[in-house]
Amino acid sequence: MITLVFVSALLALTAGNPCASDHEALLLSLNKQLLRSVDTKDTLPNPSVHIALRLSTNHNLAKESEYLNRLKAEFHDDIEKSLRNNELVVGRLALYILALKSSCHDLESVHVTHNEIKESLLIHLKKEMDEEKQNIAFGHRPKTNYYQYSLGILALCVSSVRVSTHVSQKLIHAVEHRQIKHGESLCVDSHAMAGMALQCLKDEGTAVKNTAELNRALGTIKQRLLDSKRADGHMGNEFSTGLAVQALMAMGSQMEECGSAMEALRADVKEGTYHNPMAVSQVLPALHQRTYLQLKSQECRNENNTLTIDADSASEVLPSHGQVSLQVEVIKSNGASSVFSIHIPTGSSLFEALNLLQDKQTGFTFSTEDSLWGPFLSVVNEEQARQTDRRYWHVSSDGKSLTQGIKDYKIDSTQNITIKNTGY
Ligand code: B12
């Protein structure tokens, strides 16, 4: 009798847990999708992709090691190129360090050259963080952004480099004074990154200016992440939920496999929301219930080396049918507006649509800059929205801000796109 009650209770439990049955299969397919993306040679290798592969349970060690070598050659060169142009590389350098760390690579053996001085990656990052601290002191924000500033602290902390109390204090202060934003609203992604950075300092017992303030900031971040939860389980949006889940786990919250945020992520995976490798790389660790903080104790021993790419798994691109009309309004920084119209094949990306519009020679022109997320719209009708002036081209459709970039956003119905030079 007791056995019967126990078995039916167990059955009821598993039946009420629909996520448990397909979790492993979904994880594996997303893992394979990310592994497949590393074969693309037409873009720079992405350290965030490497980190996600290394934080996974199953590996393809040969491909991972080949990718690390590409990072050490191509990504490394790109960082040095930016240094020659006197640009700050805080975020990319931090991700590069975390990627090396994820493969247990000796960090002291990798150097960058800046102003003819050769220095280790960690020393250089420490210097850039000091520069950013000064930027915050005099300009009230970092030259890059708080997402990258947090990544910088995280990379130093995970690599056991002491973070100065002045540097950590600036992040704690920014959290408490609601200065961490994406455009107009509080930025969930950056709060998640700040949470992981500050949690790392706490776990390490790193000296901070005021321990009570550190704890208060961690509490604030946790509350803001929890408050960002929507009815459908997402925290912020589809692209911040993975980082938010990861941060909450790092901060000691139980994020159950069957919790609503995990359910939301799984639903997104099934719907194919995450096709951009950068998006996959920010979601996969959370689904594995792993966090960037675990890179600190990464051992790289006895790893499961069974991950392969299925021969027939390449996704099929269906030919599009019909046309939709698109209206594109450009609003320049002085408020001047111009409107362009075009018919495009259904399912075109906004990037393809803008190219078609440009080819029609109606006066619309644009150019983009490469980033880890893909092409970032930087110049429209010969006006540049400069990040150094804290401006960008904000993109919306029918008045709703896009949650994807121009290359990923697909157009399958008639709509009005607005591209507006906006300050942030
Ligand atoms: C800071 C930030 C911005 C800043 C960047 C400028 C700055 N110096 O601070 C501003 C406010 C300008 C911005 C703009 C946009 N952003 Co933004 N942004 C971020 C954030 C929080 C951090 C990016 C970063 O510094 N990464 C670290 C460094 C190491 O990586 P990086 O690739 O070198 O960084 C550069 C690019 O990421 C680029 N960038 C920033 N946002 C976006 C978005 C897209 C689609 C692309 C291609 C590039 C890009 O700016 C970074 C600094 O130069 C991320 C959060 C995240 N989860 O990644 C969101 C994030 C990348 N942004 C996002 C979006 C949607 C946008 C916009 C499309 C919003 C809009 N409707 O207009 C625009 C881009 C429009 C365009 N012109 O092409 C989404 C992208 C999701 C997706 N699937 O593509 C994210 C993930 C936020 C989210 N959860 O929704 N963003």
Side-chain angles (χ1 to χ4, degrees), residues 66-79:
E66 196 189 313
Y67 201 55
L68 187 70
N69 285 335
R70 279 190 61 205
L71 284 169
K72 283 172 62 190
E74 298 164 45
F75 193 77
H76 191 115
D77 280 356
D78 196 59
I79 285 186

Side-chain angles (χ1 to χ4, degrees), residues 146-174:
Y146 281 112
Y147 182 93
Q148 298 195 27
Y149 192 73
S150 304
L151 262 177
I153 294 181
L154 182 66
L156 292 175
C157 176
V158 158
S159 312
S160 303
V161 173
R162 204 182 66 81
V163 175
S164 97
T165 54
H166 299 285
V167 168
S168 54
Q169 184 57 29
K170 294 274 181 286
L171 183 59
I172 293 169
H173 184 272

Side-chain angles (χ1 to χ4, degrees), residues 91-92 95 143-145 147-148 151 181-183 187 189-190 237 239-240 243 276 278-279 282 371-378 387 391-396 401-406 408 424:
R92 281 183 296 149
L95 284 175
K143 215 177 219 165
T144 60
N145 52 54
Y147 182 93
Q148 298 195 27
L151 262 177
K181 296 187 174 164
H182 185 239
C187 182
D189 316 60
S190 306
N237 65 20
F239 303 102
S240 47
L243 290 178
N276 184 322
M278 185 61 167
Q282 295 189 347
S371 79
L372 298 177
W373 278 95
F376 179 82
L377 187 58
S378 53
Q387 291 191 22
R391 300 198 72 82
Y392 74 110
W393 287 104
H394 177 265
V395 193
S396 53
S401 186
L402 296 194
T403 57
Q404 286 180 302
I406 55 172
D408 289 340
Y424 67 88

